[in-house]
Amino acid sequence: DTRIRPWNARATRRRRAGAYYRAAWAAARAARPAMVGVTSFNEWGEGTQVEAAVPHARPGGRRGADYMPGHPELYLDLTAELRVAAVGPSPYAAGGPGAEGPG
């Protein structure tokens, strides 16, 4: 968000309805890592949030960030989908072996 970090314009990328996030995951997978970490969840100040986002108006009429034309949980859903593509289903997924959790 260049309103908070005006010097960060060079690092700012458009999300393109999830295409940028998918490309980042594809690059991570191509590197064949032992694991992939997502280091953002609610980093609104950085503009890297992946938590649910709904449209809202801020004081002064500025509109808050959202994932339109996608749905509010677009990046949570993409993260789950892309994680499965990268490493397979979680052993803790509902109904899977170990669904009751570790230990």
Side-chain angles (χ1 to χ4, degrees):
D1 188 339
T2 55
R3 290 176 301 216
I4 296 171
R5 293 183 171 92
W7 63 89
N8 203 30
R10 190 172 16 171
T12 300
R13 302 289 184 270
R14 297 281 177 220
R15 290 178 175 242
R16 299 185 335 257
Y20 184 77
Y21 195 60
R22 285 181 183 280
W25 271 88
R29 286 180 55 204
R32 304 181 61 85
M35 70 174 70
V36 175
V38 176
T39 59
S40 181
F41 178 69
N42 64 353
E43 295 290 347
W44 291 89
E46 293 180 359
T48 64
Q49 72 282 354
V50 295
E51 70 175 320
V54 295
H56 67 281
R58 294 181 178 175
R62 285 197 340 227
R63 212 174 123 84
D66 61 46
Y67 304 141
M68 299 313 266
H71 61 284
E73 295 188 355
L74 173 65
Y75 286 89
L76 293 176
D77 291 348
L78 281 174
T79 302
E81 170 194 326
L82 297 167
R83 190 207 66 78
V84 168
V87 298
S90 169
Y92 303 110
E100 64 282 350

